[in-house]
Amino acid sequence: AAAGGRCLGVGMEVTDPESVRIAFEEVEAQAGRAPDIVVNNAGVTITKPAIDLTPQEWSSVIDTNLTGCFTVAQAAARRMRAQGGGGSIVNIASILGRRVAGMVAPYAASKAGLIQLTKALALEWARDGIRVNALAPGYIETDLNRDFFASEAGQRMVKRIPQRRLGRVTDLDGPLLLLCSDASAYMTGSVLDVDGGHLLSTL
């Protein structure tokens, strides 16, 4: 807003297709057009042994992280196509979509599915000029995990990252802006890993 832009907050429940539809209609009514850029960033997790997961717990993660992202992407693409095509959809995946960790089976499965979904949608929507890419962060320090990573167990995990540090939220800015902008005009179906080399480390 300080630079002359306009901000609009719109509530959306990504697991409810009707809520998604209403949110997009509200954005269009306020902005006068469909969004050119959509970032799918809704995500939840449950830390629990797979053998103890209930069907409801499994579904809550898959419904938000995978089905919810599809619902939002589909709604966005329909509107982008209707206004002549073009646009960028960025799905926030995770390096746990590429390798696994214990106690987060539904999260890892949802993010692996999101990576494949990204590629499938990129293939289908390329002719409409709609690009679909994914960003796969590694361990990023936030208020939610800061105490854990300060612990002995957390420090052992950090030592397995080749750069020997956690990511900062700002480390995601450049890759995300790349995927949102025309600087990535020839990229679709790509997955950008931002993990300090974590995927290169040994199990």
Side-chain angles (χ1 to χ4, degrees):
R6 204 159 52 95
C7 291
L8 170 68
V10 178
M12 178 191 294
E13 171 51 65
V14 299
T15 62
D16 179 0
E18 181 66 8
S19 173
V20 172
R21 182 188 65 79
I22 291 171
F24 271 97
E25 287 182 353
E26 186 172 347
V27 169
E28 287 180 319
Q30 294 281 345
R33 57 177 287 116
D36 300 300
I37 300 166
V38 171
V39 179
N40 261 319
N41 193 40
V44 298
T45 190
I46 292 174
T47 303
K48 191 174 184 179
I51 203 164
D52 296 327
L53 285 168
T54 67
Q56 292 77 20
E57 288 171 332
W58 171 269
S59 296
S60 70
V61 177
I62 299 297
D63 288 350
T64 300
N65 296 6
L66 183 56
T67 308
C69 283
F70 170 73
T71 301
V72 172
Q74 182 188 57
R78 284 174 173 169
R79 287 161 174 80
M80 289 172 176
R81 177 187 285 176
Q83 69 181 14
S88 175
I89 297 172
V90 181
N91 297 321
I92 306 301
S94 168
I95 60 167
L96 292 183
R98 294 187 178 275
R99 70 186 298 176
V100 297
M103 312 283 280
V104 288
Y107 182 84
S110 70
K111 293 302 185 176
L114 185 57
I115 287 172
Q116 286 298 96
L117 177 64
T118 296
K119 296 177 181 182
L121 299 182
L123 178 63
E124 289 196 28
W125 297 341
R127 295 293 179 88
D128 295 302
I130 300 169
R131 299 183 298 107
V132 188
N133 294 293
L135 189 64
Y139 291 114
I140 305 295
E141 186 175 17
T142 68
D143 291 339
L144 295 178
N145 63 27
R146 189 168 288 113
D147 289 342
F148 167 74
F149 282 115
S151 71
E152 186 176 336
Q155 284 300 299
R156 285 198 302 269
M157 187 175 292
V158 171
K159 287 178 181 177
R160 290 176 50 203
I161 301 171
Q163 286 193 351
R164 296 296 191 271
R165 72 171 178 88
L166 296 173
R168 295 178 288 266
V169 173
T170 53
D171 289 326
L172 301 175
D173 291 350
L176 181 59
L177 289 170
L178 169 67
L179 295 180
C180 290
S181 75
D182 289 339
S184 60
Y186 204 50
M187 293 174 66
T188 194
S190 298
V191 182
L192 285 186
D193 303 313
V194 186
D195 66 349
H198 199 151
L199 288 174
L200 306 177
S201 65
T202 58
L203 296 172

